[in-house]
Amino acid sequence: MTTVAVLVDPSPARNPLAECVDADALSESEARALYAAMARDVCRAVEASGGELLVNYAPEAADGEASADDSSAAEDAARDLVTEGLSAPSDARFEVQVGSSHAARVGNTVTHLLEREGVQSAAVVEPTAAMLERRHVDSAAMKLRGSAVVLGPSSRGRVWYAAFREPIDFTDAFEPPALRTLTDRARDGGYEVDFVERLPLVERPADLAGFVAELGARQRAEKWVPPHTAAAVEDIGLGAVADDGDLRVVRD
């Protein structure tokens, strides 16, 4: 069984979709609502899979250090963020991230799970990978039987998923392009690398426009869509139109 850590940031002081806000694609409140919806759908997909869900939440302090009170508040915020999406909220495991950078926090989580807890494999998933389905998690678990590292590609060299049977050198391991950097670190460590299906990450204005277009197409074709995310997009009233060969977000 793979323990899958969903890397959520519940802090009201930070906005994971800040680039969309800066580009006026979303307001602050809309960005937070959309992020929460995506995190709920991603956590639900992991919960429904053959993996074990770990909600790995960022601390209040930006440097990764936190007091006991801060950690408690951050956990409460993480529970508020994702619980609505879970079928069995009481079974979900919540743990704070430790580290001063994204790579350090991922490395600490993965290494702790593999070496201290002795899990067979450990994975991290971005909560902005809203199109995640349980089959993606289960497919990755199958690939981990043959490869020590399995990565999920996204646009611009990013990764939506990274799983490990053995720790690698995580120092700056997510430097762009993260897909190549992580692959290099794994191969330098002597490990086989495999890849799972490409999925979009919704973090930037271009990501959002492409995602909204795909969501609308899937709805029109009567195919599966992430329910909380689709509802949030509808509530905000987002659409996507072509603009000189590019897509941009509009309000329906």
Side-chain angles (χ1 to χ4, degrees):
M1 177 187 293
T2 302
T3 298
V4 183
V6 181
L7 305 172
V8 302
D9 187 349
S11 174
R14 296 184 294 270
N15 194 328
L17 303 185
E19 290 188 40
C20 294
V21 175
D22 292 342
D24 294 326
L26 297 169
S27 69
E28 284 278 356
S29 61
E30 289 168 347
R32 294 186 191 285
L34 181 58
Y35 179 78
M38 292 190 292
R40 288 166 187 155
D41 284 328
V42 168
C43 286
R44 175 59 187 137
V46 175
E47 180 192 44
S49 75
E52 177 192 18
L53 171 64
L54 168 61
V55 181
N56 199 209
Y57 58 91
E60 285 291 324
D63 60 3
E65 300 295 333
S67 68
D69 288 343
D70 286 341
S71 294
S72 177
E75 180 173 341
D76 289 344
R79 290 183 181 277
D80 290 342
L81 187 75
V82 305
T83 292
E84 184 181 333
L86 301 176
S87 64
S90 61
D91 293 341
R93 176 180 170 188
F94 289 77
E95 287 188 1
V96 67
Q97 299 170 16
V98 178
S100 59
S101 69
H102 180 69
R105 290 190 289 271
V106 170
N108 288 334
T109 295
V110 169
T111 302
H112 175 82
L113 289 169
L114 292 173
E115 296 186 348
R116 298 290 183 88
E117 297 192 13
V119 302
Q120 293 178 340
S121 54
V124 293
V125 173
E126 296 295 338
T128 52
M131 286 295 187
L132 179 68
E133 300 178 56
R134 61 178 294 178
R135 64 183 177 87
H136 296 120
V137 181
D138 292 337
S139 173
M142 293 291 290
K143 288 179 178 289
L144 278 166
R145 295 180 182 181
S147 300
V149 177
V150 175
L151 304 174
S154 191
S155 62
R156 292 201 277 276
R158 292 174 292 176
V159 294
W160 63 266
Y161 176 93
F164 309 87
R165 286 204 329 257
E166 300 288 344
I168 64 170
D169 178 4
F170 283 101
T171 306
D172 298 327
F174 285 81
E175 282 297 299
L179 184 65
R180 178 58 190 265
T181 308
L182 285 164
T183 299
D184 286 344
R185 295 296 171 83
R187 296 298 289 152
D188 289 345
Y191 302 123
E192 293 292 326
V193 179
D194 204 346
F195 303 93
V196 288
E197 185 176 335
R198 181 185 178 94
L199 288 180
L201 289 171
V202 185
E203 299 171 342
R204 302 169 179 173
D207 301 335
L208 180 61
F211 175 76
V212 169
E214 181 177 353
L215 191 70
R218 294 181 69 90
Q219 290 172 315
R220 185 70 179 90
E222 299 182 349
K223 301 300 182 183
W224 176 88
V225 294
H228 292 280
T229 306
V233 168
E234 183 177 356
D235 287 345
I236 298 169
L238 297 178
V241 298
D243 186 4
D244 291 332
D246 292 325
L247 284 177
R248 63 180 177 87
V249 173
V250 296
R251 302 306 171 104
D252 291 338

